[in-house]
Amino acid sequence: MQRRILTPLLELLIPGNKLNRLPSSLNPGQAHLPPHIFDALMTSPLTHSAEPINVALVDTRNIQSQDLSLFLYRSASQIAQNVGRNGRVLFLSTEDPLESSIVEGLVRSLSKELGAKGCTVNLGLTATPSSPSSQLQDFFLSNKSAYVNGQVVKQQPTTLVKPESDICVVTGGARGIGLEIARKMKEGPMYSKIYVVDHPSSDFSAASGLGFETIALDITTPDASSKIMTAIDAPIGGLIHSAGITADKTMKRMSLKSWRDCLDVNLHSIVKVDGTFQNEGFFDKGCKIVGIASTSGVAGNVGQCNYAASKSGLIGWSEKFNGLNENISYNTVAPGFIQTKMTDKLPPIVTFMATKIMTPLKAKGQCEDVAEVCSMLVEGDFRGERVRVCGGMLIGK
Ligand code: NAD
């Protein structure tokens, strides 16, 4: 009894502690548990399981419309009562606007209810009931999605073109999220050459130590695109825009310089680089682009009008770019509170509010959480997705 009261209290007192990522019966090194599959719950009685449910797949795609509501109640109720610590739950739906919206509302709410147990609940969409969902299952039913909670992601019905070029460029890759993404891209099957672009004032030793080529460059300078093209001199198969800054002030106190700096680094430089690369044929056919946006760009945030405008603009730009280039897959990732030098400088009270009060998972995310989403989007059949990596943070969609 004392432990039941003390543990949540202690969790509240430790700002942004690290999330325990493993479902309760998984050991480090074990990758997967077979999912508990909910597909015939209309008539069987609701029961308490003897064993906790660690991994659950709720496939609603073949459920008749008139049965959907009862099926959702029965499966969600079973999960809520029996899910173990750090459980992974994935609902699947087709894109039917009515049915998928019902499931979405349930998923977004359940993800918030179960977050305190370290559980994640997400929704995967497919075009038809028989369209492939294996990439969604691989990601959302494993530890790779430890900090992705309450999200809706669609796997395309057909295999997207893959680039032949094995070159990937990561901006802002000297440290933090960018460095972890560069590492993940190198580990994956698609890229063997990684170019890290970062500001000349950065310390490139970690990136060089991992065997990446480095390009010291301020991404906002007018000739940034041509310098990158000259340094690489071959079409690229991947581009991750992770360079970014904050310059927080409420709008009343914000200088034009803070506004401009933020928009220049986080948005205008990206629009320029993408446009130049496209015009110059520097993107290989099937090239994968990921823009690192932010939950602030999705939901807005006090003191971040400039940052939110830039990140929201980036999400819009990715949509526009996809519309103009059918052979390129542009996705965005919107991190919430991730432990890096960018967030280390925030006052403890902001960290406490963001993680303990605003985030159902009650913890900071790690750079690897963002990198895992990038690798799912780049290696799988995803196009035009915007995935938050925020532990199910309460603000925005
Ligand atoms: P970070 O400050 O550790 O890394 C950002 C990198 O971008 C640095 O290496 C920096 O030198 C580089 N950079 C900045 N301006 C540049 C320029 N003009 N030219 C070239 N490189 C430049 O930050 P991070 O937390 O790793 O952030 C990575 C990305 O994720 C950013 O776009 C950031 O906005 C976004 N993000 C981070 C969080 C978080 O909680 N950390 C949340 C949401 C979004």
Side-chain angles (χ1 to χ4, degrees), residues 11-59:
E11 276 182 3
L12 268 182
L13 289 173
I14 307 166
N17 61 324
K18 211 174 161 182
L19 186 70
N20 181 356
R21 289 152 188 278
L22 292 167
S24 35
S25 65
L26 267 185
N27 298 316
Q30 265 182 293
H32 286 286
L33 281 176
H36 188 116
I37 294 177
F38 291 87
D39 57 3
L41 262 177
M42 296 309 295
T43 51
S44 56
L46 291 174
T47 52
H48 273 283
S49 337
E51 294 292 321
I53 295 172
N54 288 303
V55 181
L57 179 65
V58 188
D59 194 343

Side-chain angles (χ1 to χ4, degrees), residues 3 16 29 31 34 81 119 130 154 162 165 193 235 299 338 361 363 384 394:
R3 256 182 80 192
Q81 290 175 55
C119 297
S130 55
K154 182 185 172 193
K162 289 248 179 338
S165 165
K193 282 190 210 117
I338 308 295
L361 286 174
L394 297 179

